[in-house]
């Protein structure tokens, strides 16, 4: 009987004593040894103990998003070493509020002497098979430039993007005045409030639009971050409440556990809707400035703290509260790689969001057929009175009906996730095109929108 690639029992020999398989708990130290050796900036640096600790957390059986059998590995059976490995975490993203299951490959590595032999390609075959077996509609990975394009991924969502505030520019409390708000650690009993504020932040507040895509953080993960992760991994975050002088919570802030460099990283924040950001933010900044001096560092040679990095994306309502000070540095975002193995299925899943967008456009109630040519395949969309009646694969045929729009392979994902507008894609790619009818409908159902997908480690 053939064993599926997704099955924990799957084995495949790759030649030269190399074995492709899924991990078991007993592999933990060998996988940690691989990662701690590979993830160093220089060959003479000490082993990376931080990533070894993170690996042990991921394989511990206690992590809510991954288990001991979720690493695809290549073992050199001649000496027992794990020479290449990647893992798959479970995540849920919300596409205009629609829960969408996503797989997240992480920690991709191979030993230098085993590279350029197709080991990572073989590993991704297993990762993609496991993701399909779990009915993920997409996969997202953060990583080095270009590399994951080889495996069907496209840059399609902002990753990071920040405003950097020098500590020296943070306004001081007026002499004799009392601090109206302060930061303190959130307790386990207060996590439901933090989750509520986080959900409110994703839905849009203080003049900001709702996020087109955002991370759905399960209750179990909040608990894991609070009282499960090994702090020295620097994974996850520290959760802080913002309270007023009566100890009433008015907001939350998530910061890194440790400093990588001169900056204290702020991963997320949110405040009550009835509270002006300009009223609370100076106090929060002063609290973060004090925290920046106290926070542990990742490396012994980490320089002293000199700034706060608000890692809240390309845009955020809070940025307007910073008064556009010229001393504030702007760090543009990188991007998530996204893979959608079945585009028609994904479109059908998010159809309610597309129909809602259509209903608020100049082509509300649209009926018609759109055929999109991706050059290797394509997509056919049928609308009936504003409802998506069909989304299916389509291919242009010789002397057959012509497509109404065209996108190079994978580029359509930038439009699907609102990363770029149709106009921007047409400007950047000569082979992106659309006739008038298709352009009007595509612009309505796939507008450029702000997204902010928080990685869950």
């Amino acid at each position: 009987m053939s064993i599926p690639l997704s099955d924990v029992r799957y084995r495949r020999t790759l030649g030269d004593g190399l074995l492709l398989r899924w991990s078991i708990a007993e592999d933990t130290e060998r996988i940690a040894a691989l990662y701690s050796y590979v993830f160093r900036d220089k060959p003479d640096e000490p082993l990376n103990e931080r990533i070894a600790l993170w690996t042990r957390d991921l394989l511990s059986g206690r992590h809510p998003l991954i288990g001991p059998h979720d690493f695809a590995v290549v073992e050199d059976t001649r000496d027992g070493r794990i020479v290449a490995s990647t893992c798959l975490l479970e995540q849920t993203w919300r596409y205009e509020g629609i829960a969408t299951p996503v797989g997240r490959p992480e920690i991709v590595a191979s030993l230098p002497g085993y590279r350029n032999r197709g080991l990572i390609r073989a590993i991704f075959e297993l990762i993609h098979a496991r993701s399909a077996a779990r009915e993920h509609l997409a996969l997202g990975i953060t990583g080095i430039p270009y590399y994951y394009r080889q495996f069907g991924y496209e840059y399609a969502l902002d990753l990071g993007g920040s405003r950097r505030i020098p500590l020296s520019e943070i306004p001081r409390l007026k002499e004799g005045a009392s601090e109206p708000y302060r930061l303190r650690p959130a307790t386990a009993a207060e996590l439901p409030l933090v989750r509520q504020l986080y959900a409110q932040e994703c839905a849009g507040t203080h003049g900001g639009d709702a996020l087109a895509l955002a991370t759905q953080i399960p209750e179990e993960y909040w608990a894991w971050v609070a009282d499960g992760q090994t702090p020295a991994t620097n994974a996850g975050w520290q959760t802080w409440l913002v309270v007023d002088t009566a100890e009433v919570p008015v907001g939350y802030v998530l910061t890194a556990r440790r400093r990588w460099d001169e900056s204290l990283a702020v991963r997320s924040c949110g405040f009550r809707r009835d509270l002006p950001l300009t009223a609370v933010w100076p106090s929060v900044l002063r609290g973060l400035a004090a925290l920046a001096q106290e926070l542990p560092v990742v490396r012994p040679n980490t320089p002293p703290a000199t700034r706060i990095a608000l890692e809240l994306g390309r845009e955020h309502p809070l940025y307007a509260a910073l008064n556009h000070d010229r001393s504030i540095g702007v760090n543009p975002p990188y991007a998530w790689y996204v893979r959608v193995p079945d585009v028609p299925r994904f479109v059908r899943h998010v159809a309610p969001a597309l129909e809602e967008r259509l209903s608020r456009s100049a082509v509300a109630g649209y009926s018609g057929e759109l055929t999109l040519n991706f050059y290797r395949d394509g997509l056919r969309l049928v609308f009936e009175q504003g409802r998506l009646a069909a989304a299916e694969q389509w291919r242009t045929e010789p002397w057959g009906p012509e497509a109404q729009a065209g996108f190079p392979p994978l580029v359509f994902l930038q439009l699907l996730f609102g990363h770029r507008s149709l106009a921007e894609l047409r400007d950047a790619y000569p082979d992106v095109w659309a006739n008038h009818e298709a352009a009007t409908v595509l612009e309505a159902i796939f507008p450029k929108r702000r997204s902010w997908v928080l990685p869950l480690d």
Side-chain angles (χ1 to χ4, degrees):
M1 182 180 65
S2 177
I3 298 175
L5 274 68
S6 60
D7 195 297
V8 295
R9 300 168 297 168
Y10 181 82
R11 300 284 189 277
R12 185 165 94 224
T13 57
L14 302 177
D16 296 328
L18 301 180
L19 177 66
L20 175 69
R21 61 175 176 83
W22 288 103
S23 61
I24 57 176
E26 289 75 13
D27 292 322
T28 297
E29 292 307 316
R30 290 187 292 171
I31 297 174
L34 164 69
Y35 290 150
S36 64
Y37 180 84
V38 169
F39 287 98
R40 298 176 298 160
D41 292 332
K42 299 177 182 178
D44 58 350
E45 285 187 357
L47 296 178
N48 187 333
E49 181 58 23
R50 181 194 63 82
I51 204 165
L53 292 171
W54 184 28
T55 303
R56 294 181 187 116
D57 271 1
L58 295 173
L59 282 153
S60 67
R62 299 180 293 109
H63 198 293
L65 306 181
I66 193 170
H69 301 297
D70 289 327
F71 283 70
V73 303
V74 175
E75 176 188 358
D76 191 331
T77 59
R78 294 168 295 188
D79 57 18
R81 287 184 300 166
I82 300 297
V83 299
S85 179
T86 300
C87 68
L88 181 68
L89 293 102
E90 300 269 352
Q91 287 198 196
T92 299
W93 293 350
R94 299 191 71 85
Y95 187 107
E96 299 288 12
I98 300 169
T100 305
V102 172
R104 183 180 167 214
E106 251 298 347
I107 328 186
V108 181
S110 57
L111 288 175
Y114 292 82
R115 294 175 185 173
N116 300 309
R117 296 166 66 174
L119 303 188
I120 297 301
R121 185 172 296 278
I123 278 174
F124 266 82
E125 289 180 29
L126 266 63
I127 293 292
H128 292 163
R130 176 69 61 84
S131 176
R134 292 179 175 172
E135 300 189 339
H136 296 154
L137 295 177
L139 295 99
I141 187 169
T142 61
I144 59 177
Y146 173 75
Y147 186 76
Y148 299 101
R149 290 184 183 274
Q150 302 175 87
F151 310 127
Y153 291 78
E154 170 71 358
Y155 288 117
L157 283 171
D158 277 354
L159 173 64
S162 67
R163 296 293 189 273
R164 301 185 297 264
I165 307 171
L167 299 185
S168 59
E169 298 299 320
I170 294 175
R172 297 184 180 182
L173 188 65
K174 292 182 179 179
E175 186 175 351
S178 299
E179 195 70 82
Y181 304 98
R182 70 180 183 90
L183 293 174
R184 67 164 174 79
T187 66
E190 291 166 328
L191 289 180
L193 171 61
V194 176
R195 295 200 305 271
Q196 178 183 345
L197 289 167
Y198 171 78
Q200 172 184 294
E201 181 71 12
C202 294
T205 186
H206 291 97
D209 292 334
L211 296 170
L213 277 102
T215 305
Q216 179 173 299
I217 307 177
E219 182 178 348
E220 296 80 8
Y221 190 79
W222 285 104
W224 165 254
V225 168
D227 193 27
Q229 285 178 324
T230 303
T233 65
N234 205 35
W237 51 72
Q238 284 187 276
T239 306
W240 305 87
L241 275 185
V242 182
V243 298
D244 63 16
T245 55
E247 289 296 308
V248 175
V250 299
Y252 78 94
V253 178
L254 307 182
T255 69
R257 297 180 185 275
R258 299 184 174 218
R259 276 196 301 108
W260 280 99
D261 52 23
E262 299 96 333
S263 300
L264 167 63
V266 174
R267 304 279 167 76
S268 178
C269 63
F271 304 91
R272 278 186 354 210
R273 286 193 173 94
D274 62 342
L275 187 68
L277 293 177
T278 51
V280 67
W281 192 239
S283 294
V284 174
L285 278 177
R286 287 189 286 268
L288 290 170
L291 182 61
Q293 312 295 339
E294 304 166 0
L295 207 66
V297 295
V298 173
R299 299 182 180 91
N301 61 349
T302 301
T306 60
R307 62 195 181 198
I308 306 297
L310 304 178
E311 298 179 350
L312 306 176
R314 185 187 302 268
E315 303 171 11
H316 192 277
L318 184 57
Y319 297 160
L322 301 177
N323 296 322
H324 306 286
D325 194 310
R326 291 183 179 180
S327 65
I328 296 173
V330 177
N331 185 29
Y334 183 48
W336 279 88
Y337 289 98
V338 180
R339 180 177 185 268
V340 179
D342 188 338
V343 171
R345 182 185 177 206
F346 188 97
V347 170
R348 291 192 296 269
H349 179 76
V350 301
L354 308 185
E355 293 166 354
E356 172 62 22
R357 290 171 176 173
L358 191 64
S359 72
R360 292 184 275 106
S361 76
V363 284
Y366 171 77
S367 294
E369 176 185 271
L370 297 183
T371 48
L372 314 182
N373 186 6
F374 300 159
Y375 300 105
R376 292 178 179 172
D377 55 13
L379 176 66
R380 175 176 176 264
L381 303 176
V382 178
F383 287 89
E384 295 178 357
Q385 297 181 340
R387 300 297 179 188
L388 183 67
E392 57 193 20
Q393 287 192 335
W394 178 85
R395 184 184 295 274
T396 183
E397 298 290 346
W399 300 291
E402 294 185 358
Q404 294 162 277
F407 299 83
L410 305 183
V411 169
F412 177 72
L413 298 184
Q414 297 189 44
L415 191 70
L416 177 62
F417 287 91
H419 188 55
R420 297 283 184 265
S421 69
L422 178 61
E424 289 172 333
L425 292 177
R426 293 173 77 168
D427 186 57
Y429 298 89
D431 44 4
V432 171
W433 61 274
N435 66 25
H436 178 71
E437 178 181 344
T440 303
V441 177
L442 290 173
E443 287 169 348
I445 62 176
F446 298 122
K448 183 177 181 180
R449 297 270 279 111
R450 183 172 74 98
S451 293
W452 183 67
V453 177
L454 186 65
L456 304 184
D457 299 327

